[in-house]
């Protein structure tokens, strides 16, 4: 159970980090949609799709995209 909690907390932190990275490059409406989508995530696949969207935006804007590592 502890590892699951660590993973969930790291996943939330990673989403928040990406959200902050892309914030200057998306509209407020787009950002609200990303947050809404995050709040509705029910599977690892949904999380992965959302994270890939955010990573894509950041990379297209030339921003550094940190890797998601559960145990760092």
């Amino acid at each position: 159970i502890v590892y699951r909690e660590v993973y969930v907390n790291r996943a939330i932190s990673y989403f928040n980090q990406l959200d902050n990275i892309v914030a200057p490059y998306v509209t407020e409406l787009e950002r609200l949609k990303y947050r809404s989508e995050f709040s509705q995530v029910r599977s690892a696949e949904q999380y992965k799709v959302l994270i890939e969207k955010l990573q894509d935006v950041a990379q297209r804007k030339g921003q550094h995209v940190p890797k998601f590592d559960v145990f760092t």
Side-chain angles (χ1 to χ4, degrees), residues 4-57:
R4 182 173 188 268
E5 289 176 14
V6 168
Y7 180 83
V8 169
N9 286 331
R10 296 283 170 118
I12 291 167
S13 294
Y14 188 64
F15 168 80
N16 288 329
Q17 185 175 22
L18 289 176
D19 181 52
N20 287 326
I21 290 169
V22 304
Y25 308 103
V26 298
T27 67
E28 188 61 27
L29 180 58
E30 288 172 309
R31 197 167 182 209
L32 288 171
K33 287 179 182 178
Y34 290 138
R35 291 176 181 180
S36 174
E37 190 174 336
F38 179 72
S39 295
Q40 298 176 65
V41 164
R42 297 288 179 257
S43 69
E45 183 60 30
Q46 288 177 322
Y47 177 80
K48 180 182 173 192
V49 168
L50 175 58
I51 292 303
E52 288 173 352
K53 286 181 197 177
L54 294 170
Q55 290 171 331
D56 183 58
V57 171

